[in-house]
C-alpha cells in the first residue's frame, strides 16, 4: 500500500489535515482530519513509501503502549478510511 501521489499533511487552523496539492486536487468536501496517532502513522507511511498493515502495526506497538491486536484493529480501520477517501491505494 502507499499514499497516493499529491496528498500531503498540513496544519490548517490548528488541525492536522490531509489534502491534495494543486488546483486539480482541491475538494474541500474530502479533507481528512487526523488525530495525533493517525498523524504519526501518516508520517511513518510517508517515510516507507510502500507499507503494509503489518509495518504500521509494528511501528505503532513500538511507539505506543498498545497491544498488537488493538493496533491491528486500529490500523486496519484507519487504512480502510484512507482508501475510502482516496488518499491511499494498494
Amino acid at each position: 500500500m502507499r499514499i497516493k501521489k499529491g496528498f500531503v499533511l498540513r496544519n490548517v487552523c490548528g488541525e492536522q489535515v490531509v489534502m491534495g496539492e494543486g488546483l486539480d486536487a482541491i475538494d474541500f468536501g474530502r479533507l481528512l482530519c487526523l488525530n495525533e496517532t493517525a498523524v504519526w502513522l501518516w508520517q511513518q507511511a510517508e517515510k516507507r513509501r510502500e507499507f503494509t498493515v503489518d509495518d504500521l502495526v509494528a511501528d505503532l506497538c513500538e511507539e505506543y503502549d498498545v497491544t498488537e491486536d488493538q493496533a491491528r484493529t486500529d490500523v486496519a480501520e484507519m487504512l480502510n478510511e484512507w482508501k475510502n477517501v482516496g488518499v491511499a491505494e494498494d
Side-chain angles (χ1 to χ4, degrees):
M1 181 174 293
R2 66 184 162 272
I3 294 172
K4 281 187 178 178
K5 186 177 179 181
F7 286 95
V8 295
L9 181 65
R10 295 280 187 251
N11 185 318
V12 177
C13 299
E15 297 290 330
Q16 295 296 320
V17 177
V18 173
M19 58 188 350
E21 288 186 312
L23 294 177
D24 293 336
I26 293 177
D27 180 354
F28 291 106
R30 295 185 64 199
L31 294 178
L32 180 63
C33 187
L34 302 181
N35 67 24
E36 180 182 332
T37 306
V39 167
W40 185 84
L41 285 167
W42 180 274
Q43 292 166 338
Q44 301 312 301
E46 282 183 318
K47 288 178 190 175
R48 291 181 183 275
R49 299 184 74 185
E50 296 274 336
F51 57 90
T52 64
V53 169
D54 290 339
D55 292 332
L56 296 183
V57 166
D59 289 346
L60 190 60
C61 287
E62 188 175 310
E63 182 71 16
Y64 292 92
D65 183 23
V66 62
T67 66
E68 185 175 338
D69 287 341
Q70 185 61 54
R72 186 166 305 284
T73 298
D74 293 346
V75 167
E77 189 176 294
M78 181 194 65
L79 291 179
N80 281 335
E81 182 179 356
W82 289 4
K83 287 194 292 188
N84 286 340
V85 297
V87 300
E89 60 191 0
D90 291 319

